[in-house]
Amino acid sequence: ERFSVEHGAKIRPIDNASKTGLNFLFSAIDKLRWDSLDELLECLRWLSKICSVPLGLWKLDIDSAYRRIPIDPSQKHLAWTAFKHKAKVLLARHERLAFGFTSAVYAWDDVGDLICVLLRRLLHIPALRWVDDIFSASKLSVAEHALSCAVRLIRALLGDSAVQDRKTGFGSSLDVLGMYVS
């Protein structure tokens, strides 16, 4: 299925890759599950019980998350797409999973889960995730440092461009998943 979506000033071509066979290579063992504001509020509630200091929040957005996952070389023959530009048919092969691919959703879910597991187990940061947004609560005095550690880990895993500084934030109140949390 192919369609386009207006995204600001640009038009994103979307192809869910259902006809390519590429989606067949990815199957969901578990149902997709992302964290929500409920988990963030539970984290804040738990912290307020054990800490008598001001609490803070932090968040980051991973840039071009799906495009950071390479397609296995043995599967690239399934990742061709044809499109028309100025009445000429052009062919292009995807090197990485594209926005719109069903397989990209499941592959990114695994990568996002791994990032949160590493943040939790290695750095002891109670990281939460909604697709490619990672967020958490902490003591206000360490919120910036926790964010910095999370950014460094993600950049080490996915490259320096994975988290843009303009897509991070921390403070005693913050807009998280479209909701103002204070």
Side-chain angles (χ1 to χ4, degrees):
E1 292 178 52
R2 291 192 173 143
F3 54 93
S4 60
V5 174
E6 283 188 53
H7 189 249
K10 60 184 172 181
I11 296 176
R12 285 184 184 240
I14 307 296
D15 181 345
N16 69 8
S18 60
K19 304 278 191 254
T20 66
L22 187 61
N23 290 333
F24 177 73
L25 300 170
F26 292 87
S27 62
I29 294 171
D30 297 318
K31 185 177 178 182
L32 296 174
R33 189 189 101 52
W34 299 307
D35 298 307
S36 69
L37 290 173
D38 292 337
E39 283 87 1
L40 179 60
L41 294 175
E42 188 58 38
C43 186
L44 283 165
R45 188 175 299 124
W46 177 78
L47 279 171
S48 70
K49 286 181 181 179
I50 64 169
C51 299
S52 59
V53 297
L55 300 180
L57 304 160
W58 62 264
K59 68 175 184 176
L60 63 86
D61 176 81
I62 298 173
D63 216 25
S64 304
Y66 298 137
R67 289 190 304 244
R68 295 190 178 280
I69 304 173
I71 295 173
D72 186 312
S74 69
Q75 300 163 0
K76 286 184 181 178
H77 69 282
L78 301 171
W80 286 92
T81 189
F83 58 96
K84 213 179 237 191
H85 179 68
K86 295 183 180 179
K88 188 174 181 180
V89 175
L90 301 171
L91 294 174
R93 186 178 74 187
H94 290 282
E95 297 292 318
R96 301 184 174 276
L97 294 174
F99 184 84
F101 281 20
T102 302
S103 54
V105 174
Y106 290 103
W108 176 257
D109 193 54
D110 289 344
V111 173
D113 276 349
L114 174 64
I115 289 168
C116 280
V117 165
L118 292 174
L119 287 169
R120 292 171 189 153
R121 292 189 182 167
L122 293 179
L123 302 180
H124 305 285
I125 297 173
L128 303 168
R129 178 177 72 92
W130 178 268
V131 189
D132 60 354
D133 294 333
I134 297 179
F135 51 95
S136 190
S138 66
K139 293 179 183 178
L140 181 59
S141 62
V142 298
E144 182 179 17
H145 181 68
L147 170 62
S148 173
C149 291
V151 167
R152 288 177 64 196
L153 176 76
I154 292 166
R155 286 178 178 162
L157 294 170
L158 301 176
D160 288 341
S161 65
V163 181
Q164 304 297 316
D165 290 336
R166 63 181 170 77
K167 291 189 170 184
T168 65
F170 68 94
S172 59
S173 57
L174 205 55
D175 184 355
V176 180
L177 302 179
M179 181 72 70
Y180 184 74
V181 180
S182 179

